[in-house]
C-alpha cells in the first residue's frame, strides 16, 4: 500500500493503492482496507463505495489477469476507484442471468461516471463517486442523474 500526493485540476489528490491477489477471498481484504482508509466518509458514501469497489474487484478477479491493483483517488467530495489488471479484454455489460451480468449496470446506477482505459499492458476500469451524499440510498441532495428515476 502506498500513499502519494498529486496535483489534479488545482486540487490535491490522495492516491491509495493495494495489490490484489488471485482469488475471490481477496474481496474481504479489499473491503477492510477501504473501510480503514476511508474512515472519514459518511456511512452512506462508504456503503456506495464498498458496493462499487466489490463489483470492480470481483470483475477483475473473475475476468481479468494478474497482476491486479486497486487505487482510491480522493479529492474533496469525490472518489475515483480504479482497478487494473493485465487482461486487454474490455469490460462489457452482458444480459443478466443466473450467473451474473448485473455488475456494470449496478456500477452505473451507483456512480456519477464509469469507464475504462485499455492499454498495451492491460486495462483500468474506473468509477467515480460523489461523496457529498449517497448515490444509492437516496440521501443525496443532488437531483437524480440523467436517465435515472428518482427514488
Amino acid at each position: 500500500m502506498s500513499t502519494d500526493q498529486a496535483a489534479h485540476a488545482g486540487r490535491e489528490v490522495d492516491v491509495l493503492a493495494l495489490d490484489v491477489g488471485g482469488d475471490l477471498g481477496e474481496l474481504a481484504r479489499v473491503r477492510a482496507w477501504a473501510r480503514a482508509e476511508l474512515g472519514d466518509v459518511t456511512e452512506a458514501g462508504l456503503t456506495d463505495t464498498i458496493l462499487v469497489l466489490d463489483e470492480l474487484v470481483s470483475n477483475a478477479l473473475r475476468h481479468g489477469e494478474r497482476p491486479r491493483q486497486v487505487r482510491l483517488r480522493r479529492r474533496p467530495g469525490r472518489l475515483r476507484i480504479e482497478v487494473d489488471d493485465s487482461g486487454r479484454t474490455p469490460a462489457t455489460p452482458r444480459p443478466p442471468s443466473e450467473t451474473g451480468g448485473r455488475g456494470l449496470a449496478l456500477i452505473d446506477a451507483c456512480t456519477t461516471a464509469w469507464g475504462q482505459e485499455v492499454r498495451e499492458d492491460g486495462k483500468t476500469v474506473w468509477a467515480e463517486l460523489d461523496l457529498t451524499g449517497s448515490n444509492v440510498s437516496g440521501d443525496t441532495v443532488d437531483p437524480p442523474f440523467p436517465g435515472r428515476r428518482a427514488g
Side-chain angles (χ1 to χ4, degrees):
M1 176 171 39
S2 67
T3 303
D4 68 51
Q5 299 283 324
H8 181 74
R11 293 183 170 160
E12 295 249 328
V13 177
D14 291 332
V15 181
L16 306 165
L18 179 70
D19 293 328
V20 179
D23 65 58
L24 291 174
E26 286 287 274
L27 291 171
R29 186 172 73 91
V30 171
R31 286 190 296 265
W33 169 75
R35 282 187 181 100
E37 295 294 346
L38 301 172
D40 62 323
V41 173
T42 67
E43 189 61 35
L46 190 57
T47 298
D48 293 349
T49 297
I50 297 299
L51 180 67
V52 171
L53 183 63
D54 216 43
E55 286 298 327
L56 289 176
V57 173
S58 65
N59 282 350
L61 289 167
R62 288 184 175 106
H63 308 293
E65 299 173 26
R66 287 182 182 214
R68 296 175 189 92
Q69 184 182 71
V70 60
R71 283 181 306 284
L72 303 176
R73 295 183 178 272
R74 287 189 69 180
R75 61 184 170 118
R78 309 289 297 170
L79 176 70
R80 180 177 167 118
I81 300 168
E82 299 175 343
V83 178
D84 293 343
D85 73 76
S86 62
R88 296 191 63 219
T89 303
T92 55
R94 59 186 174 105
S97 71
E98 293 176 9
T99 61
R102 293 169 183 81
L104 293 176
L106 185 59
I107 289 167
D108 187 56
C110 296
T111 62
T112 58
W114 75 274
Q116 58 194 308
E117 300 160 7
V118 178
R119 302 175 311 279
E120 194 169 305
D121 64 342
K123 70 178 169 297
T124 301
V125 182
W126 56 268
E128 295 181 354
L129 291 102
D130 176 358
L131 295 179
T132 61
S134 171
N135 297 312
V136 173
S137 69
D139 293 339
T140 182
V141 295
D142 294 335
F145 295 104
R148 297 190 188 134
R149 290 179 283 140

